[in-house]
């Protein structure tokens, strides 16, 4: 098989030369064969035509005398000629007067109908046509000619192939000798790595140039090999240093110089694997985002670096301080399982972070929320102890920040409950388990006047499959943390607008429904306002049919976008109310700057009206201030007659509370308060 494979230049050149010779011979053979075929067919056709033309006068005479025997005898002789399989004499009406056929005529007609040769000669006397002689022949004559010619060409091709092979071998030997020598030298250089070897020039053609270039290349390689040996030694030393530097980069935070997340997790895996006790402290900087937003990221980076160094100074040299990313730091304290010792470290860290930071002559303040977990006490795996320390840190944030919390099983239970509640919320959205209740807001001046309720607040309720009706105070905070509040708000908006639209179509076009808005909605750049505008336009409702309620805490931000969004609501015709007024720390100047229509005094003030004179004075001051600013006031949470009387005495405009009505489903609210019915029909 190796003999047949074309794996050398010698064989390839021989194949090329032989291929060209064979191709040329084949082309000549094809052309000559085609010419011979056409010539044989033309000769046979011409021969038959000559015979037919020769017999035509005699057959014409026999036809005039209607001597059919003579005609039959004359055409019978045609079958004696090679290849003729049928002859026929027809009159002018194409009627056969005499016909002769060979024994295999029908068989050849069926198999070779397209290859048969047909000639015809008219029977003419004195320029008048009396009929025609038709002769049909097969191609046996052509086959004989082609067969003989094929044998001749085969002998010629064999002779040509032999001569071509001999000539090709002669040419190959002379042409390849210098190339084979060059190849032999290259193989010896490759096998021995001896670049001092050189090829000898034996011709003056292109191969000689190739040999010269080859020798020059060997000389260059020989020189470079010596240089490379020297450079390799230098590069090896450099790579060893670079590997050490890359290893340091892989485990070091580029901003603070502390160990990074990768190093931190490898450290924990090692401690857990070797069953070494340790305490894990999670630290999250409080107020860092505000510094980033106000002073810029450059200042924030400097603060993170300084904070990392402060934390590092609070621990022992053998302890590990790492930055996980963002404003999150961790401390790993090995060989410690006492809460008291770790608590002292946490206190030291909090004190260190609470001190003022000076960044490019700017003062900045942050604090820390710290969560602490022990291994193996709070988790025997890296994932468990990290999760528990993180949970404890978030508990610190929820309890006012700037403090530390140790992980406890209660935190785990709380986290599991929150996760389960979140899954149930997602299911509730998919299965539409939510429902809107409506609580009337009645005017104190006209509460006895007929005409039904003019204002009401839409309140969200969750028809839980197991727990029954659940109020928003139990799930709204989870929805906000998980990012579901926008989806919930969209559902509330669509339900409210659809319900008000239905009431308007029934002629109740003086009702106004208040809808609570989450503070997080103000972070989307006003897209939620676009949703409201689109919703009321779709249902052809006036904007004043909806009152948007915002919490007082929204006004605490200094972001101008809040003011812009509230102004846009007013420009579009929406009324705006401040809910739970009095419990926040908003500047009273905002009430004058912003377009507000209504204040809703928090129920905590109303509940103490009958027992606390300070509450009475405060409510009266709020009402007086609001009236001077042209605002209406709603007293929330009025539950007793005494509270109602106090609210009336301080000149509140509206009340909302159980003394008048509890929140009820849509249909009950419609029948009881909008139609004035005492009970649902």
């Amino acid at each position: 098989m190796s003999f047949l494979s074309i794996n050398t230049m010698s064989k390839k050149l021989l194949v090329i030369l032989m291929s060209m010779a064979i191709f040329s011979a084949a082309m000549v053979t094809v052309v000559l064969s085609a010419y011979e075929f056409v010539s044989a067919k033309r000769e046979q056709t011409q021969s038959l035509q000559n015979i037919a033309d020769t017999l035509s006068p005699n057959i014409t005479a026999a036809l005039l005398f209607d001597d059919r025997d003579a005609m039959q005898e004359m055409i019978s002789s045609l079958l004696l000629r090679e290849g003729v399989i049928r002859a026929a004499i027809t009159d002018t009406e194409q009627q056969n007067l005499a016909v002769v056929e060979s024994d295999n005529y029908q068989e050849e007609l069926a198999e070779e109908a397209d290859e048969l040769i047909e000639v015809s000669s008219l029977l003419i006397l004195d320029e008048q046509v009396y009929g025609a002689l038709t002769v049909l022949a097969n191609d046996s004559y052509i086959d004989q000619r082609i067969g003989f010619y094929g044998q001749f060409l085969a002998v010629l091709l064999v002779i040509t192939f032999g001569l071509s092979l001999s000539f090709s071998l002669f040419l190959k030997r002379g042409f390849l000798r210098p190339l084979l020598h060059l190849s032999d030298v290259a193989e010896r250089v490759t096998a021995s790595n001896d670049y001092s070897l050189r090829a000898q020039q034996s011709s003056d053609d292109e191969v000689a140039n190739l040999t010269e270039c080859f020798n020059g290349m060997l000389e260059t390689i020989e020189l470079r090999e010596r240089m490379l040996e020297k450079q390799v030694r230098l590069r090896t030393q450099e790579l060893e240093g670079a590997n050490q530097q890359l290893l340091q980069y892989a485990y070091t935070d580029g901003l603070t110089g502390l160990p990074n997340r990768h190093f931190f997790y490898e450290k924990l895996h090692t401690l857990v694997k070797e069953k070494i006790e340790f305490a894990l402290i999670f630290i999250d900087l409080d107020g860092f985002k505000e510094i980033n937003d106000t002073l810029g990221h450059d200042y924030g980076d400097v603060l993170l670096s300084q904070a990392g160094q402060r934390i590092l100074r609070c621990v022992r040299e053998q302890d590990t301080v790492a930055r996980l990313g963002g404003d999150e730091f961790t401390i790993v304290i090995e060989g410690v399982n006492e809460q008291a010792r770790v608590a002292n470290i946490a206190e030291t860290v909090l004190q260190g972070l609470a001190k003022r930071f000076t960044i490019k002559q700017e003062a900045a303040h942050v604090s820390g929320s710290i969560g602490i977990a022990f291994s193996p006490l709070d988790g025997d795996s890296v994932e468990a102890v990290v999760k528990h320390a993180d949970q404890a840190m978030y508990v610190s944030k929820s309890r006012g920040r700037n403090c530390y919390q140790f992980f406890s099983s209660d935190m785990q239970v709380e986290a599991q409950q929150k996760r389960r509640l979140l899954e149930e919320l997602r299911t509730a959205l998919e299965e539409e388990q939510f429902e809107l209740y409506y609580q009337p807001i009645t005017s104190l001046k006209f509460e006895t006047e007929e005409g039904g309720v003019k204002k009401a607040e839409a309140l969200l309720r969750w028809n839980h499959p197991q727990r029954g009706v659940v109020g928003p105070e139990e799930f709204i905070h989870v929805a906000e943390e998980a990012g579901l509040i926008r989806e919930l708000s969209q559902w509330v908006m669509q339900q409210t607008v659809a319900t008000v639209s239905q009431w308007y179509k029934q002629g109740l076009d003086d009702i106004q429904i208040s809808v609570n808005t989450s503070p997080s909605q103000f972070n989307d750049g006003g897209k939620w306002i676009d949703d409201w505008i689109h919703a009321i336009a779709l249902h052809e409702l006036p904007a004043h049919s909806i009152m948007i309620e915002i919490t007082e805490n929204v006004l605490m931000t200094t972001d101008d976008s809040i003011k812009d969004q509230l102004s846009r609501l007013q420009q579009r015709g929406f009324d705006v109310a401040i809910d739970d007024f009095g419990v926040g720390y908003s500047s009273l100047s905002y009430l004058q700057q912003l377009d507000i229509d209504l204040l809703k005094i928090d129920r905590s003030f109303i509940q103490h009206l009958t027992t606390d004179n300070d509450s009475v004075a405060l409510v009266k001051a709020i009402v007086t201030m609001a009236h001077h600013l042209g605002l209406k006031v709603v007293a929330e949470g009025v539950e007793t007659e005494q509270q109602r009387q106090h609210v009336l005495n301080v000149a509140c405009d509206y009340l909302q509370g159980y003394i008048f009505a509890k929140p009820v489903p849509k249909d009950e609210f419609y029948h009881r308060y909008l139609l004035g019915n005492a009970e649902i029909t």
Side-chain angles (χ1 to χ4, degrees):
M1 294 299 292
S2 60
F3 175 77
L4 297 177
S5 60
I6 306 175
N7 52 7
T8 64
M9 183 178 295
S10 175
K11 292 181 180 180
K12 291 178 181 178
L13 182 60
L14 180 61
V15 168
I16 292 173
L17 294 174
M18 291 301 300
S19 298
M20 292 301 298
I22 293 173
F23 177 77
S24 300
M27 289 297 296
V28 172
T29 300
V30 170
V31 172
L32 292 178
S33 297
Y35 175 77
E36 178 63 20
F37 175 79
V38 172
S39 298
K41 189 171 184 178
R42 184 171 59 248
E43 288 177 6
Q44 185 180 20
T45 303
Q46 186 62 44
S47 175
L48 291 175
Q49 188 66 52
N50 291 338
I51 293 173
D53 291 343
T54 302
L55 293 177
S56 292
N58 297 331
I59 294 174
T60 302
L63 176 61
L64 291 176
F65 290 100
D66 194 20
D67 188 353
R68 297 196 177 211
D69 292 335
M71 288 188 289
Q72 188 73 26
E73 182 180 356
M74 282 186 284
I75 64 176
S76 295
S77 62
L78 291 175
L79 291 180
L80 299 177
R81 182 177 177 80
E82 183 179 3
V84 177
I85 60 174
R86 186 178 188 274
I89 300 172
T90 58
D91 58 16
T92 56
E93 296 179 357
Q94 300 299 319
Q95 296 295 323
N96 289 329
L97 300 178
V99 177
V100 291
E101 296 176 348
S102 66
D103 296 337
N104 57 349
Y105 166 71
Q106 294 298 331
E107 180 180 348
E108 291 193 23
L109 182 64
E111 294 178 357
E112 303 178 359
D114 296 335
E115 299 177 2
L116 298 179
I117 301 173
E118 180 180 332
V119 297
S120 180
S121 178
L122 296 178
L123 304 178
I124 302 173
L125 183 64
D126 297 333
E127 297 182 358
Q128 182 176 353
V129 178
Y130 293 96
L133 170 62
T134 303
V135 181
L136 192 65
N138 58 24
D139 56 357
S140 58
Y141 172 77
I142 298 175
D143 291 342
Q144 289 179 359
R145 287 280 299 273
I146 293 299
F148 171 77
Y149 189 72
Q151 293 174 359
F152 170 76
L153 287 179
V155 173
L156 182 61
L157 284 175
V158 169
I159 295 173
T160 303
F161 181 81
L163 293 175
S164 298
L165 179 60
S166 301
F167 187 65
S168 298
L169 290 173
F170 174 77
L171 291 177
K172 180 197 71 172
R173 188 176 297 110
F175 178 74
L176 288 180
R177 184 180 295 110
L179 289 177
L180 292 175
H181 170 68
L182 191 62
S183 174
D184 178 64
V185 174
E187 288 180 358
R188 283 190 288 147
V189 170
T190 303
S192 63
N193 288 328
D194 183 6
Y195 296 104
S196 63
L197 297 175
R198 297 293 184 267
Q200 300 298 322
Q201 296 185 9
S202 60
S203 62
D204 296 327
D205 54 9
E206 290 85 352
V207 178
N209 294 333
L210 178 62
T211 303
E212 185 178 355
C213 293
F214 177 74
N215 291 334
M217 181 182 65
L218 289 178
E219 184 176 355
T220 302
I221 293 175
E222 187 177 7
L223 293 174
R224 288 185 178 180
E225 186 182 36
R226 297 194 189 101
M227 295 176 60
L228 282 175
E229 289 178 355
K230 182 179 179 180
Q231 291 178 355
V232 165
R233 288 194 297 269
L234 295 176
R235 286 297 179 92
T236 301
Q237 297 173 356
E238 293 176 358
L239 287 174
E240 289 176 352
N243 285 335
Q244 292 295 328
Q245 191 173 11
L246 286 174
L247 187 62
Q248 183 179 1
Y249 287 154
Y251 289 100
T252 304
D253 177 56
L255 179 62
T256 62
L258 298 174
N260 60 11
R261 177 184 291 270
H262 191 188
F263 180 91
F264 166 75
Y265 276 101
E266 283 200 5
K267 178 74 173 180
L268 292 192
H269 279 291
T270 301
L271 293 176
V272 170
K273 183 179 180 180
E274 298 178 0
K275 298 182 179 180
I276 299 175
E277 293 181 335
F278 65 90
L280 178 60
I281 301 177
F282 261 43
I283 306 169
D284 188 86
L285 300 184
D286 305 320
F288 174 74
K289 183 179 183 300
E290 287 74 12
I291 293 174
N292 245 1
D293 294 342
T294 55
L295 298 180
H297 290 280
D298 292 342
Y299 286 80
D301 291 346
V302 175
L303 187 145
L304 288 174
S305 181
Q306 293 183 9
Q309 293 304 311
R310 290 189 185 184
I311 296 172
L312 192 61
R313 290 194 291 268
C314 297
V315 298
R316 303 170 301 178
E317 185 176 351
Q318 64 265 34
D319 297 329
T320 301
V321 177
R323 175 174 176 249
L324 297 188
D327 57 355
E328 291 186 348
F329 295 85
T330 62
I331 304 175
V332 181
I333 306 174
E334 299 180 38
V336 174
N337 58 8
E338 301 97 358
Q339 287 193 359
R341 290 182 60 184
V342 179
N344 289 334
I345 296 175
E347 286 285 0
T348 305
V349 171
L350 290 176
Q351 293 172 9
L353 293 176
K355 295 178 182 179
R356 183 180 66 177
F357 289 84
T358 302
I359 308 170
K360 301 179 183 179
Q361 300 181 349
E362 293 283 348
H365 292 84
V366 296
S367 60
S369 294
I370 296 178
I372 305 169
F374 292 93
S375 176
L377 179 63
D378 297 323
D380 56 2
S381 68
V382 173
E383 293 76 13
V385 72
V386 168
K387 180 179 69 174
H388 293 160
D390 193 49
Q391 289 175 352
M393 183 266 291
Y394 276 104
V395 172
S396 296
K397 280 189 173 295
S398 66
R399 295 184 179 179
R401 305 184 179 187
N402 195 27
C403 63
Y404 62 87
Q405 294 291 330
F406 289 95
F407 172 78
S408 66
S409 57
D410 292 340
M411 293 181 186
Q412 180 70 2
V413 172
E414 183 180 349
Q416 291 175 350
Q417 290 175 345
K418 182 180 291 186
R419 185 170 61 251
R420 184 164 51 251
L421 179 60
L422 181 59
E423 293 302 322
E424 291 178 346
L425 276 175
R426 289 193 172 97
T427 302
L429 279 168
E430 293 174 359
E431 298 181 359
E432 298 185 354
Q433 296 175 4
F434 293 103
E435 181 181 5
L436 287 183
Y437 278 42
Y438 296 86
Q439 186 176 28
I441 301 174
T442 182
S443 171
L444 284 171
K445 295 181 180 179
F446 306 106
E447 62 178 341
T448 59
E449 186 176 304
E450 295 183 359
V453 172
K454 306 300 181 184
K455 293 180 181 293
E457 181 178 0
L459 300 168
L460 186 62
R461 295 292 183 267
W462 179 7
N463 293 317
H464 196 282
Q466 287 80 38
R467 298 165 58 190
V469 179
V470 179
E473 65 280 355
E474 296 190 34
F475 61 84
I476 282 296
H477 66 285
V478 176
E480 289 184 335
E481 291 177 5
L484 293 178
I485 194 64
R486 173 171 174 77
E487 198 171 346
L488 265 177
S489 300
Q490 285 282 332
W491 184 88
V492 170
M493 177 192 69
Q494 293 168 2
Q495 294 295 316
T496 302
V497 172
T499 298
V500 175
S501 174
Q502 181 183 358
W503 291 342
Y504 263 61
K505 291 177 182 178
Q506 295 173 353
L508 302 170
D509 55 1
D510 55 353
I511 186 71
Q512 184 183 59
I513 300 298
S514 299
V515 180
N516 290 288
T517 303
S518 169
S520 62
Q521 290 184 262
F522 284 85
N523 297 328
D524 69 355
K527 187 178 184 306
W528 66 280
I529 300 177
D530 296 332
D531 295 337
W532 274 107
I533 294 172
H534 176 74
I536 64 171
L538 185 64
H539 289 82
E540 299 180 349
L541 284 177
H544 65 77
S545 63
I546 302 296
M547 176 173 283
I548 304 297
E549 292 191 11
I550 64 173
T551 60
E552 188 181 7
N553 291 335
V554 172
L555 304 181
M556 294 173 61
T557 179
T558 58
D559 193 348
D560 289 338
S561 68
I562 304 297
K563 183 178 179 180
D564 295 338
Q565 292 180 50
L566 293 178
S567 297
R568 188 179 174 204
L569 284 172
Q570 287 289 345
Q571 293 170 3
R572 288 290 183 169
F574 290 95
D575 290 341
V576 179
I578 299 180
D579 195 15
D580 301 331
F581 186 80
V583 297
Y585 302 94
S586 63
S587 172
L588 295 179
S589 63
Y590 274 103
L591 298 179
Q592 191 173 11
Q593 297 175 14
L594 301 177
D595 295 321
I596 305 298
D597 300 284
L598 191 72
L599 292 184
K600 301 184 74 173
I601 302 176
D602 187 70
R603 65 179 62 249
S604 61
F605 297 105
I606 305 303
Q607 290 174 353
H608 296 95
L609 283 178
T610 58
T611 59
D612 186 2
N613 290 332
D614 290 339
S615 294
V616 175
L618 185 56
V619 170
K620 187 174 182 178
I622 292 174
V623 173
T624 302
M625 174 196 63
H627 285 168
H628 277 297
L629 294 175
L631 308 179
K632 298 293 184 180
V633 182
V634 177
E636 291 187 295
V638 180
E639 299 178 355
T640 67
E641 178 60 30
Q642 289 179 317
Q643 292 173 350
R644 189 192 71 83
Q645 190 59 45
H646 277 288
V647 168
L648 185 61
N649 292 339
V650 297
C652 274
D653 301 288
Y654 301 94
L655 70 81
Q656 180 180 353
Y658 284 6
I659 189 174
F660 182 73
K662 295 182 178 181
V664 293
K666 175 183 69 174
D667 293 339
E668 184 175 348
F669 176 81
Y670 172 74
H671 288 91
R672 179 176 294 179
Y673 301 109
L674 298 186
L675 295 183
N677 294 338
E679 59 185 22
I680 299 177
T681 57

